Amino acid sequence: MDITIWEFLVLAAASALVGFSKTAVSGANTVSLAIFAAVLPARESTGVLLPLLIVGDILAVITYRRHAHWPTLWRLFPAVAAGVVLGTGYMAWAGDAAIRNSIGAILLLMAGVTLWRRRAGAEEAPAAPDTSRVKARSYGVLGGFTTMVANAGGPVMSLYLLSAGFRKLGFLGTSAWFFLIVNTSKVPFSIGLGLIDARSLLLDAMLALFVIPGALIGKACVHRIDQVLFERLVIGATILGGLQLLLR
């Protein structure tokens, strides 16, 4: 791809943030999404970002694989698959502006609902994760849809895991396995839409080198972040990502 050295350095910083988000503050990669879409054409940027997300997912699984809550994952996957199929159809039909506005509105709405429920005292953390089928299906479809059209499923699933009462390590372990499986399953769809090709993979090969140090920094920082701050950072990253998509 025809990019300058300065644009490459900006993408490298965004790639490091991908690694950091996977091992520390899930949802923070909405900032990376914004940077990639600003430097590259919006549609093509999703194809470049997806393999980098998978690299980050692999590193996150290596780090937190023992903390996953598999009953939650099995409840989510069927609904997520439906959301990915819907997202593929929507992406083939809608323009960049419509996609950005839809995702931004969904993220802000869900962040608002989460904050309202917490303020109203309805978000008492349960002793065990809340894995109700209705909640899992609702968030699963939205997560599959948003991750397919804009690689923006992280904030949606972050809000689900927070609302379900997951603590920090369980949150990160469940999220790591979820996105490794889901992002890998998206690759054939992205190739079919022409989002991943030889040029995008060449750029990915160079940028992947920056994902690794970002993940290591995240791993070193996560144990210094208490649960309350962790949840605030996740919600803050969701709001930031939603605003960025709406205001671009």
Side-chain angles (χ1 to χ4, degrees), residues 46-60:
T46 62
V48 174
L49 188 55
L50 179 57
L52 299 176
L53 293 173
I54 293 173
V55 172
D57 293 328
I58 293 171
L59 296 171

Side-chain angles (χ1 to χ4, degrees), residues 55-239:
V55 172
D57 293 328
I58 293 171
L59 296 171
V61 164
I62 292 172
T63 304
Y64 302 116
R65 61 189 179 278
R66 292 174 295 180
H67 301 285
H69 189 262
W70 283 97
T72 295
L73 291 171
W74 291 123
R75 290 177 187 272
L76 283 169
F77 285 142
V80 171
V84 169
V85 172
L86 288 173
T88 301
Y90 183 70
M91 199 165 189
W93 168 78
D96 284 348
I99 291 172
R100 287 197 304 269
N101 290 337
S102 298
I103 301 299
I106 289 170
L107 296 183
L108 290 178
L109 175 63
M110 298 183 75
V113 170
T114 299
L115 289 172
W116 174 76
R117 292 185 66 188
R118 285 177 178 273
R119 178 164 292 188
E123 286 290 348
E124 297 292 336
D130 173 11
T131 56
S132 66
R133 292 185 182 276
V134 173
K135 179 181 286 188
R137 287 170 181 170
S138 301
Y139 277 87
V141 171
L142 283 175
F145 180 84
T146 54
T147 196
M148 187 63 227
V149 301
N151 290 316
V156 175
M157 298 317 302
S158 294
L159 293 180
Y160 169 68
L161 295 176
L162 287 182
S163 70
F166 279 83
R167 306 298 292 175
K168 186 166 53 177
L169 291 180
F171 178 109
L172 290 168
T174 305
S175 179
W177 276 109
F178 175 85
F179 281 107
L180 177 61
I181 294 169
V182 171
N183 283 334
T184 302
S185 70
K186 286 163 47 183
V187 171
F189 294 94
S190 296
I191 293 174
L193 290 168
L195 303 177
I196 295 178
D197 56 22
R199 293 185 307 156
S200 69
L201 290 174
L202 178 61
L203 181 57
D204 283 324
M206 294 183 285
L207 293 175
L209 298 175
F210 298 91
V211 177
I212 298 172
L216 294 175
I217 293 171
K219 180 181 177 181
C221 291
V222 69
H223 295 293
R224 296 183 172 90
I225 304 174
D226 65 27
Q227 182 69 24
V228 173
L229 177 59
F230 177 80
E231 294 181 6
R232 289 175 178 172
L233 289 172
V234 170
I235 294 173
T238 301
I239 294 172

